[in-house]
Amino acid sequence: MVVSSVTGHLMEVDFPDQFRNWRSCPPVELFDARINKKVPTDKENLKKQLETEARRASWLVLWLDCDREGENICYEVIQVCTKAKRNLRISRAIFNDINRTSIERAVQNLKEPDQFQSDAVDARQELDLRLGAIFTRFQSLLLQRSFPELSEQVISFGPCQLPTLGFIVHRYWKAKEFIPEPFWSISCSIKVANEIIPLSWRRGRVYFRELAVLFAEPLYTQPNARVVRVKMKLSKKWRPFPLTTVEMQKKAGKSLRMSAKMVMDIAEKLYQKGYVSYPRTETAAFPEGINLQELVTVQVADP
């Protein structure tokens, strides 16, 4: 058995060379232009390695990440390997975490690659390329004619890039329009059986200093407090739900002040060591058959 690997996507999509010159055709013609999907120059050595191993193999088992992108990479590897050897037996391993139990279960339940998930990625890649190229060329050439200072600039467009930029600009203007206003609040605590208990002021804050002083004065003249009412209620702490990728990034960013990239880098390392399930997911449900007790047991000794 020979184990090899790839680094992300093995292939990339692009227009034929005759469309590389921006002025070779009107941007709108790129809607119908042919698209090539091929191995880029910097991954030729990886392609040759896969071809060499494929010629000596009889069975190709694909262990790529179990998401749409992983499925698409599966078919890129299949395309390269089957060109080198057409009669390869091909199987797909389905796993969501890296530990002995999951790996053994995946080996015993090999599946067929999912063409539909791969096709979905191909469609997304084509849309990204066409829309990005067409609108980037259109608005760049249009604005360069109207504004000479932009003659050397590329005004980029992307289906994800533009909405993200919109969120950033909207947030920027909200911050710019914000007018800071001073406020005052009362913060105090009580000591009960040698335990300090912080108290919160029901009003929260006031915007006049004199009013805040007026409320605070009785606290200085009467340091003792009297409990006038005690309310008790039953509360339940529910077990945490699994996190989707976006929710994980949001919670880590808010609570730990971590960037989205840092969150994914750490999650990927934890996944590779078998501590967490596959982090790039859009579902909040654990896969059927996962041994949660085993994952928890691995982390019991962690302080």
Side-chain angles (χ1 to χ4, degrees):
M1 180 175 66
V2 176
V3 178
S4 186
S5 64
V6 293
T7 55
H9 279 278
L10 182 61
M11 298 181 175
E12 63 182 19
V13 294
D14 203 351
F15 295 108
D17 291 340
Q18 64 263 33
F19 294 105
R20 288 191 176 279
N21 187 328
W22 282 24
R23 301 182 187 278
S24 61
C25 69
V28 70
E29 289 188 12
L30 295 179
F31 274 120
D32 299 313
R34 181 169 55 87
I35 288 179
N36 295 331
K37 186 169 186 177
K38 59 183 181 180
V39 177
T41 305
D42 61 337
K43 292 189 176 180
E44 277 293 333
N45 289 338
L46 184 55
K47 175 189 174 185
K48 291 177 181 177
Q49 177 194 348
L50 291 175
E51 289 173 338
T52 300
E53 298 298 341
R55 293 188 186 99
R56 297 193 292 229
S58 59
W59 192 357
L60 173 64
V61 181
L62 299 153
W63 289 82
L64 283 303
D65 291 334
C66 292
D67 59 5
R68 285 184 175 179
E69 297 296 327
E71 213 66 29
N72 191 255
I73 299 172
C74 281
Y75 277 90
E76 293 174 354
V77 173
I78 290 172
Q79 182 176 331
V80 169
C81 291
T82 52
K83 279 188 177 180
K85 188 172 185 179
R86 293 187 178 181
N87 61 341
L88 270 176
R89 179 183 176 185
I90 298 172
S91 298
R92 173 72 157 110
I94 306 297
F95 60 101
N96 290 283
D97 48 275
I98 304 177
N99 56 51
R100 185 183 183 89
T101 303
S102 297
I103 299 302
E104 289 178 349
R105 186 188 307 117
V107 170
Q108 294 165 6
N109 297 276
L110 296 175
K111 309 289 185 181
E112 294 289 327
D114 191 334
Q115 181 74 57
F116 292 124
Q117 288 201 55
S118 178
D119 289 345
V121 175
D122 284 337
R124 191 265 306 160
Q125 288 179 338
E126 181 173 341
L127 285 171
D128 285 350
L129 175 63
R130 291 191 190 278
L131 293 176
I134 291 167
F135 285 101
T136 295
R137 293 186 186 191
F138 172 76
Q139 63 189 17
S140 295
L141 295 173
L142 179 66
L143 293 173
Q144 286 171 2
R145 288 196 296 268
S146 302
F147 302 95
E149 62 270 23
L150 298 177
S151 60
E152 301 297 326
Q153 299 294 320
V154 174
I155 315 301
S156 180
F157 174 92
C160 295
Q161 167 189 328
L162 202 64
T164 303
L165 180 61
F167 294 141
I168 294 172
V169 171
H170 177 72
R171 184 64 180 169
Y172 169 79
W173 283 114
K174 291 288 286 185
K176 195 171 181 64
E177 293 168 0
F178 176 73
I179 300 174
E181 189 176 358
F183 63 87
W184 287 261
S185 181
I186 296 176
S187 176
C188 62
S189 60
I190 59 175
K191 186 175 183 180
V192 179
N194 295 323
E195 182 180 356
I196 303 298
I197 302 175
L199 303 177
S200 58
W201 191 26
R202 182 181 296 179
R203 293 187 66 119
R205 65 182 65 174
V206 293
Y207 293 90
F208 298 96
R209 183 178 182 279
E210 294 78 7
L211 185 58
V213 172
L214 182 65
F215 283 121
E217 278 182 351
L219 299 177
Y220 293 104
T221 58
Q222 301 177 17
N224 297 321
R226 181 167 60 92
V227 178
V228 296
R229 184 172 55 174
V230 176
K231 293 176 65 176
M232 299 180 65
K233 64 178 182 179
L234 179 66
S235 63
K236 295 181 179 180
K237 187 174 183 180
W238 301 100
R239 60 184 179 183
F241 289 101
L243 298 175
T244 64
T245 304
V246 174
E247 282 300 316
M248 177 179 65
Q249 291 174 320
K250 286 166 60 176
K251 287 184 179 295
K254 183 178 180 180
S255 303
L256 304 175
R257 298 291 187 267
M258 295 168 61
S259 68
K261 182 180 184 305
M262 182 184 294
V263 173
M264 294 312 299
D265 287 346
I266 293 174
E268 190 72 27
K269 291 177 182 177
L270 291 173
Y271 165 66
Q272 290 174 359
K273 292 182 179 180
Y275 288 112
V276 299
S277 59
Y278 185 58
R280 301 179 187 275
T281 177
E282 298 175 3
T283 177
F286 285 113
E288 186 177 351
I290 187 173
N291 189 339
L292 292 176
Q293 188 66 42
E294 181 180 346
L295 289 175
V296 173
T297 302
V298 171
Q299 303 181 57
V300 166
D302 193 330

